[in-house]
Amino acid sequence: MNFSLASLVVDSGDLESESAFWHSLLGGSITRAETHHFLQADGLPVIVVQHAPQHVPPQWPDGTPQQIHFDLSTDDALAADTRVLDAGGRRLRPTDDPVAPAQGGSRVYASPAGHPFCIRAV
């Protein structure tokens, strides 16, 4: 018996901003339903944004814990930084230098709903 990853589900109080954010970063298409948005992008499991009216964003690195996070990789850390910020994300660490991370390093961001994720330069 084998398993495969069919989807990743993230909670958000605002379906539109969270699904638009991930769509801006990963491309693909969004299918909208009343309580869920489904992002389908080539080569990735379906990312499901689930409406959670009482969603409390994680407080990274201390405070309300995260339950899961994405690790993304890029060949252009500066362009990735700009894209994340333009899409509504924010830097968590480091917060001041858009060129960091150096090759092999990573930077931590948060999505509009507050979900931390990492981008690693390759």
Side-chain angles (χ1 to χ4, degrees), residues 54-69 90-93 108-117:
Q54 304 303 319
H55 171 69
V56 176
Q59 300 299 312
W60 185 91
D62 300 314
T64 305
Q66 61 182 335
Q67 294 179 337
I68 191 170
H69 74 269
R90 68 182 190 284
R91 293 184 198 126
L92 295 179
R93 187 174 58 190
V108 183
Y109 294 90
S111 73
H115 294 290
F117 66 97

Side-chain angles (χ1 to χ4, degrees), residues 12-72:
S12 178
D14 181 348
L15 287 174
E16 193 58 43
S17 68
E18 190 72 5
S19 59
F21 174 78
W22 291 110
H23 179 257
S24 178
L25 267 59
L26 302 173
S29 62
I30 299 173
T31 302
R32 291 168 172 83
E34 185 176 339
T35 60
H36 295 78
H37 286 186
F38 303 87
L39 173 62
Q40 297 177 304
D42 290 341
L44 298 175
V46 175
I47 296 173
V48 181
V49 179
Q50 174 176 268
H51 188 237
Q54 304 303 319
H55 171 69
V56 176
Q59 300 299 312
W60 185 91
D62 300 314
T64 305
Q66 61 182 335
Q67 294 179 337
I68 191 170
H69 74 269
F70 294 97
D71 279 344
L72 306 176

